[in-house]
Amino acid sequence: FFEYQDYYKLSDIAYFRAGDTSLFEERFTVEWKPENLPDWLTITTVTALNARYLDATNSTTNSFQIFNYWDLTVYTDGHYKFQNGWDNPIEAGVDSTARSQHWEGGIGNILDISAFKKLTLTVGARYDWVDGEVHNYAGLRNSGNSLAPTTPSFARGSQHAGSLTSASLSYKVLPNIIPYVTYATPKTIVPGSTGGLSSGQINDQILTGTKLKEAGVKGEFLQGKLFASYSIYEQYRTAFVQSLNGGNGDFQQTRSRGHEVEVRWVPTRRFNLAVAMDWLRRDNDPPAPGYTPAPGETVGLDP
């Protein structure tokens, strides 16, 4: 698989983003089933090798954004007319340009065991390796009421880790009713908007962890035309949060707990109707930074 993107985004408030991304991936999969097993036992295993390369360059301008509100009693045409770094690279400049290059490689296996056509165990595991580097080129930053140049930097690092991508056990208590439990702790890369890495990830963690615990029941009715499911789950996910103050950023743990119900009706091959409901609570650790809007006169500004 190969893909190339070249893009840019402009805004009236002097913001722009531009970049290009190249991606190449190769995957090789083998599926096999052991022979000469008892009639009550079925085993299937799938093994996959993959290699992936991504080269992403991203340029942005934020320093020239002037956050000002119009006086709504005076007519405006709805455009700020500020210069931006894409159309006016000399006058407006570019805040930051970064190039990320990284290789990913891994091997994984999924083992599926069914006994007596009722009990099913599925286990998946992977071993991942990643090697990457990030070039941050000279740019600009806000320093007080003026613009100051930034220093170029370079970061390189690698990481490898094994993980349990899934472990699920189900038992068919009735021909059409199957309860199940699932547990998983996969390792993954949390990419930026360009798909690339940041210096903070290279210097800290590239492969971040997640954890999922889930239990539920699935049912099939009306001769396979009505499906219903219910699940309760708890999920931990690690996300990379880029620092707003020019630092390397930090990792934030998100804990989600919830319930999910889904009903799907397929009376004919040409029509289906699905209804889903979710109840979810999500907590961030550490808490996500926030802000409270306040009237201008409260903070001493001319309203």
Side-chain angles (χ1 to χ4, degrees):
F1 177 79
F2 176 77
E3 182 181 64
Y4 174 75
Q5 293 183 5
D6 184 3
Y7 61 92
Y8 67 92
K9 174 184 177 181
L10 303 179
S11 171
D12 271 351
I13 58 172
Y15 168 83
F16 96 95
R17 166 169 285 177
D20 60 82
T21 301
S22 300
L23 168 67
F24 171 78
E25 182 171 6
E26 172 68 21
R27 183 179 301 168
F28 182 73
T29 304
V30 176
E31 177 180 345
W32 61 279
K33 297 181 180 180
E35 299 179 352
N36 302 320
L37 295 176
D39 294 338
W40 55 268
L41 180 64
T42 301
I43 298 177
T44 303
T45 182
V46 179
T47 303
L49 284 166
N50 74 288
R52 174 185 173 99
Y53 173 74
L54 191 142
D55 186 327
T57 301
N58 182 50
S59 297
T60 61
T61 288
N62 292 316
S63 297
F64 287 85
Q65 293 185 73
I66 303 175
F67 293 102
N68 192 12
Y69 293 98
W70 289 303
D71 182 351
L72 297 182
T73 65
V74 179
Y75 171 78
T76 66
D77 62 2
H79 293 281
Y80 282 103
K81 298 185 174 68
F82 295 152
Q83 293 180 339
N84 64 74
W86 177 267
D87 294 323
N88 312 95
I90 298 177
E91 294 87 352
V94 176
D95 287 10
S96 64
T97 298
R99 183 181 183 184
S100 167
Q101 299 170 283
H102 72 271
W103 276 98
E104 298 175 53
I107 181 171
N109 189 82
I110 298 177
L111 177 65
D112 185 83
I113 303 174
S114 296
F116 304 104
K117 296 184 180 180
K118 289 188 174 183
L119 180 67
T120 301
L121 172 66
T122 303
V123 179
R126 277 189 60 86
Y127 186 85
D128 289 286
W129 167 85
V130 59
D131 180 84
E133 61 183 41
V134 176
H135 293 261
N136 291 295
Y137 300 98
L140 298 169
R141 64 181 176 87
N142 284 314
S143 179
N145 294 322
S146 61
L147 296 176
T150 59
T151 304
S153 64
F154 173 76
R156 183 185 179 103
S158 63
Q159 186 181 354
H160 54 87
S163 62
L164 174 69
T165 58
S166 64
S168 183
L169 182 67
S170 65
Y171 186 78
K172 189 179 293 186
V173 294
L174 294 174
N176 59 337
I177 303 293
I178 304 176
Y180 70 93
V181 293
T182 298
Y183 179 79
T185 58
K187 292 283 188 179
T188 185
I189 293 179
V190 182
S193 58
T194 63
L197 304 175
S198 68
S199 298
Q201 290 172 287
I202 293 289
N203 294 326
D204 199 334
Q205 297 181 53
I206 305 176
L207 292 167
T208 59
T210 61
K211 181 186 293 185
L212 171 68
K213 294 184 287 185
E214 181 178 331
V217 59
K218 298 181 180 182
E220 182 180 303
F221 311 94
L222 302 181
Q223 298 178 343
K225 296 182 179 180
L226 180 66
F227 305 87
S229 66
Y230 165 79
S231 65
I232 179 173
Y233 62 90
E234 184 176 65
Q235 177 174 279
Y236 295 86
R237 186 179 188 275
T238 301
F240 181 79
V241 181
Q242 181 65 46
S243 171
L244 297 179
N245 298 318
N248 287 331
D250 199 1
F251 287 89
Q252 187 174 77
Q253 192 80 16
T254 302
R255 178 182 182 184
S256 303
R257 290 167 290 182
H259 307 259
E260 183 177 86
V261 176
E262 182 179 6
V263 178
R264 185 157 41 96
W265 181 44
V266 189
T268 70
R269 298 184 61 164
R270 296 179 178 270
F271 176 82
N272 73 86
L273 178 67
V275 177
M277 293 178 289
D278 293 273
W279 295 264
L280 173 66
R281 175 190 172 107
R282 187 179 68 187
D283 299 304
N284 293 330
D285 182 24
Y291 64 91
T292 302
E297 56 269 26
T298 302
V299 294
L301 299 177
D302 183 351

